[in-house]
Amino acid sequence: MLFLGQVGGAGGQQEEPSMRYQSPRGTHDILPAETPRWRALERRFTALCQRYGYREIRTPLFEQTDLFARTVGETSDLVTKQMYTFEDPGGDRFTLRAEGTAPALRAYLEHSLAGQSPLVKLSYVCPIFRYERPQAGRYRQHHQVGIEVLGSQDPAVDAEVIAFGAAYLADLGITGYTLKLNSVGCPACRPNHRDALRSAVHQHLGDLCADCQRRFDENPLRMLDCKRERCGELLANAPGSAEYLCEECGTHFARLRELLDALGIEYELDARLVRGLDYYTKTAFEFMHTAGLGAQSAIIGGGRYDGLIEECGGKPTPGIGFGSGIERVLLVRQALGVDDGLSDEIDAFVITLGAGARVAGLRLLAELRAAGLSADTDYLGRSLKSQMKEAHRQNARFALIAGEDELARGVVAVRSMQDSEQTEVPTSAVVEHVKSAKPDSEVDPR
Ligand code: HAM
């Protein structure tokens, strides 16, 4: 089985000398043994969206490059180093979806969703493409579930979005995470924080890494996010944003904390939490988990972006949301042992013996499937012994043995694979027999 932590692809560890092609580095195939886990996660997310009133949006896999450059920030790592950008044969520049928020907002504006309702709640499940150095939990194609709320600046919406994140993790059986919370201010108060940061590190400027020296001029807040040890030390006493909030941002943040306390959602204030994308204002948060992830510990990241819709050409409209990496969440579930049991059991495997029994066997197979049961048969002309082995391999509840002799007597030999007990059941009653042995909750309600 391919574990998610194992980065496949050209240059990865799993090279097969005889293989000519591999998936691109930092991407992975989701194999049949893995897809039930993905579907289970997506089902839970979708059910939660329904409970919380979020409606799904699907946007194209690529957008005009300018959409990401303008919204995420011209100087951000994502825009300067990580976008998959190409020119199409018509000479237009496009970028594979580098994050989920900007495309959702583009669609919100393009289709005037605000005209249908002043408060719009959207959800999405989609692949995201970023040219990053691959490692466990960090890929060049990853997948996110995400939500966005557009139209309200009420801190109660911030609380709902964070509560949704907590409920999502709880539904997936994930405990032991830390929710980090900060307010990154707004264009009115951020310049003060920027100035304070610059003064705090000015005398050590030459000791900062080249990236931070650039950030010092372009976007000093980003220095707080630097992963290099030396920069971390130099910035250890640098002021956090919360100390510089204007009255409006301060009141919003205080109200959000009150609401989270009232909802019983635990968080850690982290004045140094700055997110990698430039569009955030006021609330910023991350749910972190270390199990199975190492350095890539953010499993949910989000925040408020009150100026973004205007930046995209719309009327000033507040917004907030989050994105959560599916691969990372699955790795945490695996590490915590709360993975969904793989339900790869089938209800029946039809074994036919002799050419005369084949048509009747195939008809029985069709009847089982039409009744909503999962069933399979042999297509390789194998012996009885090999067909029984195959029934075991497929985890069948029953092997249904249709030999010429049984069919002549109007019966099928029904063998329970669990206790090897075998009985003869009239052919016309076999479907009902298999169905009645199945727990009620698992019967397809058709
Ligand atoms: P982000 O923090 O860049 O935010 O990504 C959200 C989540 O996606 C991360 O917390 C992480 O779980 C996952 N993730 C990010 N990059 C990778 C990667 N290379 N490999 C695997 N997983 C990854 C955003 O993208 C914002 N659009 C979130 C948002 C929505 N903010 C407001 N609304």
Side-chain angles (χ1 to χ4, degrees):
M1 184 187 359
L2 176 76
F3 288 105
L4 281 166
Q6 213 169 33
V7 179
Q13 306 133 337
Q14 283 218 313
E15 290 191 32
E16 277 270 349
S18 57
M19 280 261 298
R20 200 145 152 216
Y21 300 110
Q22 292 154 8
S23 69
R25 187 161 139 78
T27 69
H28 50 261
D29 300 306
I30 304 165
L31 299 175
E34 283 286 319
T35 45
R37 294 193 171 92
W38 285 71
R39 278 206 309 272
L41 178 147
E42 287 165 18
R43 251 198 324 271
R44 287 193 172 94
F45 175 72
T46 307
L48 213 53
C49 287
Q50 196 156 20
R51 273 191 267 157
Y52 278 69
Y54 289 76
R55 293 163 66 220
E56 188 185 3
I57 184 160
R58 300 187 188 197
T59 59
L61 211 57
F62 57 94
E63 298 277 350
Q64 285 171 288
T65 299
D66 198 42
L67 174 71
F68 295 114
R70 287 280 295 275
T71 56
V72 172
E74 301 273 5
T75 61
S76 65
D77 281 359
L78 183 53
V79 171
T80 53
K81 302 182 191 163
Q82 298 177 345
M83 294 201 303
Y84 278 92
T85 297
F86 61 95
E87 197 176 290
D88 78 359
D92 292 319
R93 274 167 72 75
F94 293 107
T95 295
L96 296 187
R97 191 194 289 113
E99 64 103 37
T101 308
L105 300 199
R106 197 263 312 134
Y108 165 84
L109 288 172
E110 187 173 336
H111 304 287
S112 307
L113 298 188
Q116 296 167 20
S117 159
L119 187 77
V120 173
K121 294 165 75 168
L122 302 173
S123 71
Y124 49 85
V125 181
C126 63
I128 305 279
F129 303 86
R130 296 180 182 177
Y131 186 79
E132 301 204 71
R133 202 161 43 78
Q135 62 184 71
R138 190 167 69 195
Y139 312 101
R140 292 186 175 169
Q141 176 178 341
H142 74 275
H143 299 76
Q144 285 186 18
V145 301
I147 58 170
E148 312 290 349
V149 186
L150 309 169
S152 169
Q153 45 188 326
D154 187 346
V157 174
D158 306 40
E160 172 175 295
V161 167
I162 292 173
F164 186 115
Y168 170 63
L169 297 180
D171 266 15
L172 291 166
I174 295 181
T175 51
Y177 57 78
T178 307
L179 165 58
K180 300 215 167 190
L181 184 68
N182 193 18
S183 173
V184 294
C186 69
C189 49
R190 204 170 296 147
N192 298 336
H193 183 217
R194 270 193 207 127
D195 291 346
L197 271 174
R198 284 197 182 108
S199 335
V201 296
H202 190 254
Q203 76 227 56
H204 309 295
L205 189 56
D207 297 331
L208 294 173
C209 70
D211 276 340
C212 280
Q213 293 190 17
R214 185 175 44 82
R215 291 169 185 144
F216 181 89
D217 291 321
E218 291 172 349
N219 189 348
L221 264 72
R222 185 96 330 112
M223 295 188 300
L224 294 172
D225 205 21
C226 186
K227 303 287 180 285
R228 291 187 185 84
E229 205 176 321
R230 182 74 186 127
C231 295
E233 284 164 14
L234 293 171
L235 285 152
N237 296 316
S241 50
E243 298 167 40
Y244 292 88
L245 298 182
C246 61
E247 198 186 336
E248 188 190 317
C249 291
T251 311
H252 185 97
F253 196 34
R255 182 75 183 135
L256 169 61
R257 293 192 324 257
E258 264 171 39
L259 291 171
L260 291 178
D261 292 340
L263 292 171
I265 296 174
E266 285 178 27
Y267 54 86
E268 255 178 34
L269 292 179
D270 182 351
R272 310 171 69 79
L273 174 71
V274 285
R275 306 253 309 118
L277 316 167
D278 282 353
Y279 50 61
Y280 293 108
T281 54
K282 295 182 179 159
T283 310
F285 61 91
E286 278 181 358
F287 287 74
M288 323 286 282
H289 211 302
T290 47
L293 286 179
Q296 306 307 316
S297 54
I299 48 176
I300 296 182
R304 187 166 268 288
Y305 43 81
D306 290 348
L308 190 53
I309 293 182
E310 208 177 345
E311 186 63 41
C312 296
K315 282 196 281 215
T317 309
I320 178 166
F322 75 65
S324 170
I326 296 182
E327 289 84 351
R328 289 192 192 174
V329 165
L330 290 178
L331 283 168
V332 170
R333 297 194 77 202
Q334 217 167 40
L336 294 179
V338 292
D339 226 350
D340 284 291
L342 294 187
S343 149
D344 56 357
E345 208 176 52
I346 65 167
D347 295 311
F349 190 84
V350 178
I351 294 177
T352 60
L353 296 172
R358 191 62 174 157
V359 172
L362 292 178
R363 205 164 40 223
L364 175 60
L365 181 67
E367 284 168 11
L368 289 159
R369 289 171 170 171
L373 296 163
S374 52
D376 214 338
T377 193
D378 172 60
Y379 290 109
L380 300 174
R382 285 179 276 194
S383 66
L384 171 62
K385 198 169 153 201
S386 298
Q387 291 192 56
M388 280 303 286
K389 254 197 196 154
E390 182 60 22
H392 270 295
R393 204 189 63 75
Q394 293 205 24
N395 254 332
R397 284 177 211 259
F398 291 103
L400 307 178
I401 305 159
E404 284 169 351
D405 170 48
E406 283 88 0
L407 291 172
R409 288 186 287 116
V411 296
V412 168
V414 175
R415 187 180 177 88
S416 158
M417 302 298 281
Q418 210 174 21
D419 53 20
S420 301
E421 248 178 55
Q422 191 163 317
T423 49
E424 290 193 338
V425 175
T427 312
S428 59
V430 172
V431 170
E432 213 33 60
H433 184 93
V434 174
K435 210 169 183 170
S436 63
K438 196 170 162 123
D440 274 353
S441 59
E442 289 178 27
V443 177
D444 188 346
R446 67 188 61 216

